Amino acid sequence: MTTTSQVTSRGRLMLNKVPEVTVYFWIIKILCTTVGESFADYINETLGFGLTNTTLAFSAALIVTLVVQFRLNRYVPSVYWLAVVLISVVGTLLTDNLTDGQGVPLWISSTVFAVLLAAVFGIWYARERTLSIHTIVTVPRESFYWLTVLVTFALGTAAGDWTLELTGWPPGRSVLLPLGLILAVLVAWKLGMGPVLSFWLAYILTRPLGANIGDYLASPHADGGLGLGTLGTSVLFLGTILAVVVYLTVTDADRTERVRVATAERDQVRSGSEDRR
């Protein structure tokens, strides 16, 4: 077990830099993945920015946001979720550059990103002895965390596109596979699968789920979609993300320290009630 003194000796000790995993977390995560798909397509294709220019622009914005994120000593919803939105776009563009720019087959990029993710997890665990997001309290752990998030977005994009390439499913039906796999992970977690493994599996799977939802909303009616277009989908989801982030900023409903205190107080009340019985 890693003690507080051991963590402190490895770097500046901070409050946990990521949110508590609540329903808000998964809602925004899925919304961010949808934005990553639709917004990247809108800037790249609709506005004609081009793949290279779009990648450079969003990568620069991501670097600036991560610099701000790393300078903080606690979780700030607006900065954290802006980083996730940008990293979702950049992760999508990494796969798009390999597939469209370099002609790399999706099965190869999926394999490469899967191996890279395993390597990041291995190095992270070897150094820190934990992969839990509840312990992102030092700069090295935060670095591993954001690198992992980037690779999961790239892997989710490649694996999701590869699956669609193999199945040829229309936008609506394509939502069902990642949704079903996420539900399977939920069931496995309820049956005793480790919370860390369950979290990261679900985290990876939300990428193709969000992307497929985005495709379904943006695709024309003739292709089986709802016809909102990439701009309409991006505006809708960015607006929803902004509303939820404002709520979380005001209420602190997903701040780890607050949630744990509230849980402890609730458990104490329950324990007192049982004792009186």
Side-chain angles (χ1 to χ4, degrees):
M1 178 178 292
T2 305
T3 65
T4 302
S5 60
Q6 289 173 324
V7 172
T8 306
S9 67
R10 293 178 183 171
R12 178 168 58 100
L13 186 62
M14 304 170 284
L15 295 176
N16 197 36
K17 295 289 292 292
V18 303
E20 185 67 30
V21 182
T22 65
V23 65
Y24 302 110
F25 179 95
W26 293 114
I27 289 173
I28 304 180
K29 172 61 169 62
I30 293 172
L31 294 174
C32 287
T33 60
T34 302
V35 169
E37 183 79 8
S38 59
F39 200 42
D41 288 345
Y42 176 72
I43 299 296
N44 175 28
E45 299 174 4
T46 306
L47 294 185
F49 234 55
L51 194 56
T52 300
N53 290 334
T54 303
T55 302
L56 291 175
F58 278 102
S59 296
L62 174 61
I63 290 171
V64 171
T65 304
L66 285 179
V67 168
V68 176
Q69 167 69 20
F70 272 83
R71 290 177 65 87
L72 298 170
N73 63 358
R74 62 186 179 88
Y75 161 65
V76 176
S78 57
V79 178
Y80 174 88
W81 287 112
L82 176 59
V84 174
V85 169
L86 291 172
I87 213 167
S88 72
V89 176
V90 172
T92 298
L93 291 170
L94 286 177
T95 296
D96 289 347
N97 273 280
L98 289 174
T99 304
D100 301 331
Q102 305 299 322
V104 178
L106 287 167
W107 73 267
I108 293 180
S109 54
S110 297
T111 302
V112 169
F113 285 129
V115 172
L116 180 59
L117 181 61
V120 173
F121 276 137
I123 297 171
W124 182 359
Y125 187 80
R127 176 187 168 94
E128 302 295 335
R129 311 310 298 175
T130 179
L131 300 176
S132 173
I133 68 165
H134 293 118
T135 61
I136 310 301
V137 294
T138 65
V139 172
R141 291 186 180 184
E142 188 173 15
S143 301
F144 281 118
Y145 173 78
W146 286 112
L147 179 58
T148 301
V149 170
L150 176 61
V151 179
T152 60
F153 273 109
L155 173 59
T157 301
D161 289 349
W162 183 28
T163 301
L164 294 180
E165 185 179 84
L166 292 173
T167 61
W169 285 346
R173 190 185 305 170
S174 66
V175 173
L176 299 179
L177 178 58
L179 180 60
L181 291 174
I182 290 173
L183 292 176
V185 171
L186 176 62
V187 171
W189 172 64
K190 290 290 187 180
L191 294 177
M193 187 167 70
V196 174
L197 176 60
S198 302
F199 170 82
W200 285 115
L201 286 175
Y203 200 95
I204 294 169
L205 289 169
T206 54
R207 173 59 188 82
L209 174 63
N212 293 349
I213 291 174
D215 286 341
Y216 176 61
L217 294 174
S219 295
H221 294 288
D223 295 334
L226 294 184
L228 293 182
T230 52
L231 177 59
T233 302
S234 298
V235 170
L236 173 63
F237 278 63
L238 282 171
T240 307
I241 291 171
L242 178 61
V244 178
V245 168
V246 168
Y247 170 77
L248 295 175
T249 302
V250 172
T251 64
D252 282 342
D254 65 339
R255 191 176 302 283
T256 300
E257 296 78 17
R258 176 166 180 159
V259 171
R260 289 182 177 178
V261 168
T263 301
E265 291 176 347
R266 184 185 62 210
D267 291 343
Q268 186 175 11
V269 170
R270 288 180 178 176
S271 177
S273 299
E274 292 175 357
D275 291 341
R276 285 192 294 271
R277 291 175 186 172

